[in-house]
Amino acid sequence: MLRFFMGVLMFAILIVKSTIVPAGESPFLFSCGAGAMSGSVNISEAKGFFLENGIKGKVISFRKGQVGFDTYLAEKADMGLASVMNIVMTDFDVQKHKIIGTLSYTDNQTKVLARKSAGISGVKDLKGKRIATVSSTVSHFYLCKLLVLNGISCSDIDLVFMTKKQLPKAIASGEVDAVCQHGMPIENAKKLLKDDWTMIRDGLIHRKPVFLIAPVALLNNSPGKVTEVLKSILKAERFIQSDTEECIRILAKAKKYPFEAMKETVTKEIEYDLSLRQTIYLALETVEQWAIDSHLVKREQPRNYMDFVDYGPLESIAPEKVSIIR
């Protein structure tokens, strides 16, 4: 009996040792923007899921997602989180980096907030109005597509480019009639407008994903570490579904959102789904062509994104999550 308990004890010690991160090891950094779509990575850090898998994971967030992506490309982070727009609007060697998973997606996060007192109750009323958004962002793309699908061209409105911070005051003061954005700029604008607002959004216009991107060197040299990262995120994803209220509190604190705004975002706007679906290519290629046609990038020919995805790491631990045709 003593031998049995000693054997169990030794096995437990081995298990614990396998998940302990060496004291002197540098943090494994994830670089991202300030939005909630990176939530499963934040939860992995906050709940210790990275540490359970031997990863000293640390999330570094930036107010702008583009800054977060640039930080990763500058090799100041081990993995990066990026939207389609971050990827399309940035010139970098796609052969040196790979998408290893879609962390989350949303169909209805981006929206147009309009002043009712400006005579706007629906999308058709946007014609001839002064509308503000942030240039070369998913909101810019969304607004253009929303208008075109409803028989309105961008030349039929007075399009104004502002920073996110400027949008709430601009619509509240009457400087513009509507703004296109998501997150806190919309929440702050609603507060300033009180009851004088209406929301316009269409969940069929654009599926906005956020990708987890890794350097090819890491994939080649430390494949085990990469799969442990993915295992941690999958556990966080399950935790978000089973303990949603706690996750909302964690993310509200991490992202500096009001609790109710984060609750709306997590429960009604974002799907946390670590996966690799065929729609990745549609999202990238559609925005790429729009950026070229709108002269927002210097490229004249679309990049080939077919080799920009490495499905191996995720497929090795969760094959049901990979449905890319190849």
Side-chain angles (χ1 to χ4, degrees):
M1 184 64 72
L2 179 60
R3 236 180 239 178
F4 172 79
F5 283 117
M6 287 298 292
V8 171
L9 178 61
M10 290 303 295
F11 179 77
I13 290 171
L14 286 172
I15 292 296
V16 171
K17 281 186 175 180
S18 69
T19 60
I20 291 176
V21 180
E25 184 173 320
S26 299
F28 189 94
L29 300 178
F30 298 84
S31 180
C32 68
M37 293 187 72
S38 62
S40 55
V41 177
N42 292 95
I43 296 298
S44 294
E45 179 188 7
K47 296 300 296 182
F49 299 150
F50 284 135
L51 288 175
E52 287 178 12
N53 287 297
I55 305 293
K56 195 176 179 180
K58 181 175 177 56
V59 181
I60 48 175
S61 300
F62 298 87
R63 188 170 60 86
K64 295 181 179 180
Q66 186 63 51
V67 176
F69 188 48
D70 291 341
T71 298
Y72 159 74
L73 291 175
E75 300 182 3
K76 295 179 180 178
D78 299 283
M79 287 188 181
L81 281 66
S83 68
V84 169
M85 198 62 66
N86 296 149
I87 293 168
V88 168
M89 300 304 297
T90 308
D91 286 318
F92 66 99
D93 188 349
V94 295
Q95 299 300 316
K96 294 182 179 179
H97 307 272
K98 299 287 184 182
I99 293 173
I100 60 171
T102 298
L103 284 176
S104 60
Y105 66 86
T106 177
D107 294 323
N108 64 349
Q109 188 183 62
T110 307
K111 64 221 46 160
V112 173
L113 186 77
R115 279 188 298 108
K116 289 191 292 187
S117 58
I120 302 173
S121 59
V123 65
K124 296 293 186 181
D125 299 321
L126 296 175
K127 187 173 183 178
K129 303 300 184 182
R130 187 173 172 84
I131 307 174
T133 191
V134 183
S135 178
S136 305
T137 63
V138 69
S139 299
H140 184 186
F141 169 77
Y142 177 91
L143 176 61
C144 291
K145 196 166 182 181
L146 174 70
L147 294 171
V148 169
L149 289 177
N150 285 277
I152 306 171
S153 75
C154 282
S155 61
D156 290 329
I157 66 167
D158 184 4
L159 182 59
V160 182
F161 294 126
M162 295 182 175
T163 66
K164 288 183 180 181
K165 192 174 181 179
Q166 292 173 323
L167 295 177
K169 289 184 180 179
I171 188 172
S173 67
E175 182 181 352
V176 299
D177 303 307
V179 296
C180 183
Q181 191 49 232
H182 66 273
M184 288 311 300
I186 293 293
E187 294 302 317
N188 291 334
K190 285 162 65 177
K191 288 179 183 178
L192 292 174
L193 288 168
K194 298 182 179 179
D195 294 327
D196 187 24
W197 60 268
T198 188
M199 192 85 75
I200 301 170
R201 58 181 165 187
D202 186 340
L204 299 179
I205 284 184
H206 176 62
R207 171 161 289 185
K208 174 187 172 185
V210 163
F211 302 122
L212 182 63
I213 301 179
V216 170
L218 177 68
L219 295 168
N220 291 339
N221 299 331
S222 303
K225 182 169 284 190
V226 174
T227 55
E228 295 306 318
V229 165
L230 295 177
K231 287 178 184 177
S232 304
I233 294 172
L234 284 171
K235 184 168 183 178
E237 193 175 282
R238 294 191 293 270
F239 189 77
I240 291 171
Q241 295 181 8
S242 64
D243 295 81
T244 308
E245 286 288 315
E246 182 179 352
C247 289
I248 292 169
R249 286 193 293 271
I250 291 170
L251 293 178
K253 182 178 179 180
K255 302 299 185 180
K256 299 179 181 178
Y257 268 43
F259 178 83
E260 289 302 321
M262 182 58 73
K263 184 175 182 180
E264 173 82 9
T265 298
V266 170
T267 60
K268 297 183 179 180
E269 294 181 352
I270 298 175
E271 291 290 336
Y272 294 100
D273 178 30
L274 179 59
S275 60
L276 287 170
R277 313 293 187 198
Q278 194 68 23
T279 51
I280 286 176
Y281 298 122
L282 177 62
L284 286 165
E285 290 165 3
T286 300
V287 175
E288 174 97 357
Q289 193 60 60
W290 168 79
I292 291 172
D293 294 342
S294 302
H295 307 291
L296 298 174
V297 294
K298 294 180 180 179
R299 298 186 297 279
E300 296 182 359
Q301 296 297 323
R303 288 188 292 204
N304 179 12
Y305 289 109
M306 295 299 291
D307 295 327
F308 190 35
V309 178
D310 186 347
Y311 52 81
L314 184 57
E315 191 169 56
S316 70
I317 60 171
E320 75 281 2
K321 290 279 196 171
V322 180
S323 60
I324 288 179
I325 300 171
R326 53 195 187 271

